[in-house]
Amino acid sequence: MPEKDVEATLPKHQRIRQEMAAQIRSLEPHSLLPTERELAKSQGVSRATIRLALDALREAGLVYRVQGAGTFVAGPTISKTLALSSFSEDMEIRGMVPSSRLLSADETPAGPELAEQLGIETDDLVIRLTRVRLADDEPICLETAHLPSARVPGLLDRDLGGSLYEVMQGIYHLKVVRAEQVVRAMVLDVGDASLLGTPPGAPALRMHRIGLDDRDRPVESTTSIYRADRYDLRLAVRRAE
Amino acid sequence: MPEKDVEATLPKHQRIRQEMAAQIRSLEPHSLLPTERELAKSQGVSRATIRLALDALREAGLVYRVQGAGTFVAGPTISKTLALSSFSEDMEIRGMVPSSRLLSADETPAGPELAEQLGIETDDLVIRLTRVRLADDEPICLETAHLPSARVPGLLDRDLGGSLYEVMQGIYHLKVVRAEQVVRAMVLDVGDASLLGTPPGAPALRMHRIGLDDRDRPVESTTSIYRADRYDLRLAVRRAE
DNA sequence: AAGTGGTCTAGACCACAGA
DNA sequence: CTGTGGTCTAGACCACTTT
């Protein structure tokens, strides 16, 4: 029962954050929350701990604070703060069933560009996976991932039909916690269009991602091509400062 | 001289954050920073204050922390955390000179869709601005903004050739601090293509934004169409939690 | 074992909003 | 004015790594 253990060892501010998040969903936008001092008292913790929880809720776009006035429930948010997510998670959030069709899986020397992106040598090996990603059995995305072979030994022998992130984390203890993404619009050529089941010349979103682990080391360089008619990118952005 | 006053009234953790950000830029990636306790001592503040500064630096992607080991300089970041920015700011960051060609400016009833987005009544008035946005005198983006007339009285009589956000903030004290964006790929039709100086059928990024002020009230609904060959979207994303 | 960041406490004063 | 969130202190113990 890891479930209970995890909950038991959760820091207080995270537990409080989760409880409050659940409650907030049932409140009207712009309703006033209890004051930080009241929450501290009722939860039996210090105000600093409550502030940690509220900070996270504000970061997630669930509440906003007005100095001198109080803390309020935010308006509805269609999108999280563009949390980094895998294709599988992304589709599950949208209520669809993700699947995958493997087109190719091999190992080659990185070459100059990938070596630079992944922080390895030009002739170090990388594993290259090309997959069609489907949601509810409809092709949505064409994805080519490159991983440094040294970080994922034996990956090619594993089941590659599901979430790559889950395999990376579960088997290799590789957690992608940060990524740099570049998004462009493009039109599909004949080859890509046929793989995605669209007419050639249809628009698509081309996303390139370099994923970094918890020590800021690059662990993936992935290019994804999404059908524009089945996919959009939703993001909540906040002013810096 | 508001300059000095502002600096003088800056909270300590923000001042420390700025100092450290400047120093970090001259350090090698993955170098070890002083410990939080050392920083607290050398800056003459408490550890909690140092942590506030470091939290902001981590949020900005400049450092990462490893429990038990220390705080380190992050690798180079091509993109900020997709800070919310206006077209003008966006182009200036890319080292280009932004300008604007006004196509139309008028006032109409909101209608059901805009009313819903802006939280106003269907027959409340909105100001609609359509502009071609240029960078270094080349058309980049076709932008249609809708603002609730009640929030920006007399806007149509002002100079609309520059940053709308600057006018909103400077004249009307409207600060957009948060936005919901939806990004899609599209192909340009004949009309849009000719305004942007591209062939019809060329790809473009279509971005719709609802901007919210510091009290979470919608203040703009804007659609921007960017030439794919002159514009990409760069974003740094982090894992939630 | 020693030292790091992660969490938490119990206070305090400040700047600001609102009646 | 009162009460709010914003900032800050000076501790303490815990979880974790060992650049």
Side-chain angles (χ1 to χ4, degrees), chain B residues 13 16-17 20 48-58:
Chain B
H13 71 89
I16 292 171
R17 193 198 90 217
M20 293 189 62
T49 302
I50 290 295
R51 279 185 67 80
L52 275 181
L54 287 176
D55 281 345
L57 292 172
R58 187 199 46 181

Side-chain angles (χ1 to χ4, degrees), chain B residues 11-13 45-49 67-68 72:
Chain B
K12 287 184 190 177
H13 71 89
V45 299
S46 75
R47 200 183 145 209
T49 302
Q67 179 170 158
F72 303 85

Side-chain angles (χ1 to χ4, degrees), chain A residues 36-52:
Chain A
E36 295 179 352
R37 287 163 181 86
E38 283 171 8
L39 287 168
K41 204 174 170 190
S42 70
Q43 296 281 349
V45 300
S46 74
R47 202 183 141 207
T49 303
I50 290 294
R51 280 185 66 80
L52 275 181

Side-chain angles (χ1 to χ4, degrees), chain B residues 1-214:
Chain B
M1 314 306 108
E3 186 72 53
K4 271 204 173 168
D5 284 329
V6 165
E7 282 187 20
T9 54
L10 222 50
K12 287 184 190 177
H13 71 89
Q14 283 188 30
R15 198 203 64 230
I16 292 171
R17 193 198 90 217
Q18 290 179 4
E19 286 178 18
M20 293 189 62
Q23 293 168 13
I24 283 169
R25 269 183 217 105
S26 65
L27 296 177
E28 288 299 310
H30 308 291
S31 14
L32 178 62
L33 293 181
T35 71
E36 296 180 350
R37 288 165 181 85
E38 283 170 9
L39 286 167
K41 203 173 172 189
S42 70
Q43 295 281 349
V45 299
S46 75
R47 200 183 145 209
T49 302
I50 290 295
R51 279 185 67 80
L52 275 181
L54 287 176
D55 281 345
L57 292 172
R58 187 199 46 181
E59 195 65 28
L62 275 84
V63 305
Y64 61 96
R65 299 202 264 218
V66 180
Q67 179 170 158
T71 304
F72 303 85
V73 178
T77 305
I78 56 172
S79 41
K80 307 291 176 203
T81 325
L82 186 58
L84 171 59
S85 54
S86 68
F87 179 86
S88 305
E89 293 167 338
D90 203 5
M91 289 306 126
E92 278 157 11
I93 285 172
R94 294 165 196 240
M96 310 179 96
V97 179
S99 58
S100 199
R101 192 155 59 83
L102 188 63
L103 295 181
S104 75
D106 56 8
E107 198 167 26
T108 68
E113 193 176 347
L114 278 172
E116 149 105 43
Q117 291 174 358
L118 294 174
I120 58 179
E121 298 301 317
T122 316
D123 46 5
D124 285 349
L125 294 178
V126 296
I127 286 177
R128 179 174 51 193
L129 299 176
T130 303
R131 300 184 292 176
V132 177
R133 306 300 239 123
L134 309 102
D136 290 346
D137 290 322
E138 188 175 27
I140 299 289
C141 165
L142 203 56
E143 190 176 274
T144 302
H146 298 90
L147 313 178
S149 299
R151 302 293 299 273
V152 287
L155 177 67
L156 289 181
D157 301 328
R158 301 201 169 269
D159 173 23
L160 301 170
S163 171
L164 188 54
Y165 275 24
E166 267 176 28
V167 174
M168 286 168 67
Q169 176 158 2
I171 311 292
Y172 300 102
H173 307 290
L174 274 188
K175 237 192 316 191
V176 178
V177 301
R178 188 169 86 82
E180 293 274 332
Q181 300 195 166
V182 180
V183 181
R184 277 195 113 95
M186 61 176 285
V187 297
L188 294 170
D189 63 25
V190 180
D192 290 347
S194 92
L195 285 168
L196 286 173
T198 68
L205 221 46
R206 182 183 179 285
M207 208 176 307
H208 180 253
R209 170 167 68 206
I210 298 177
L212 305 149
D213 69 7
D214 57 354

Side-chain angles (χ1 to χ4, degrees), chain A residues 114-135:
Chain A
L114 278 172
E116 149 103 44
Q117 291 172 359
L118 294 174
I120 57 180
E121 298 303 316
T122 317
D123 46 6
D124 285 348
L125 293 178
V126 295
I127 286 176
R128 179 174 52 193
L129 298 176
T130 304
R131 300 184 292 175
V132 178
R133 305 300 238 123
L134 309 100

Side-chain angles (χ1 to χ4, degrees), chain A residues 66-86:
Chain A
V66 180
Q67 178 169 160
T71 304
F72 303 85
V73 177
T77 304
I78 55 173
S79 41
K80 307 289 176 206
T81 325
L82 186 57
L84 170 59
S85 54
S86 68

